Amino acid sequence: AYIGDPAARPGRRCTCSLCNTAWYVAAHTCTFCRAEGRLAQRSVPGREGPVTAETCDACRSYPKVLDCTREPS
């Protein structure tokens, strides 16, 4: 998922890393199970940067997220 993509509609732009298909998902909605409000952003301790994992408490999935509004550290 991309956050802050200037060409994106409201929400998040998701792109499949295998086939490059793109789609949009509402903010605060799991990209796998569509649960709302049960997401958390996680990063490797000591390595905060623009790439995080978005974890879902409902289905326990964790897609990688690239925040295009942040500079690499």
Side-chain angles (χ1 to χ4, degrees), residues 2-21:
Y2 294 100
I3 299 172
D5 183 352
R9 295 180 282 187
R12 296 170 295 164
R13 180 177 181 257
C14 299
T15 305
C16 175
S17 62
L18 299 175
C19 69
N20 207 30
T21 299

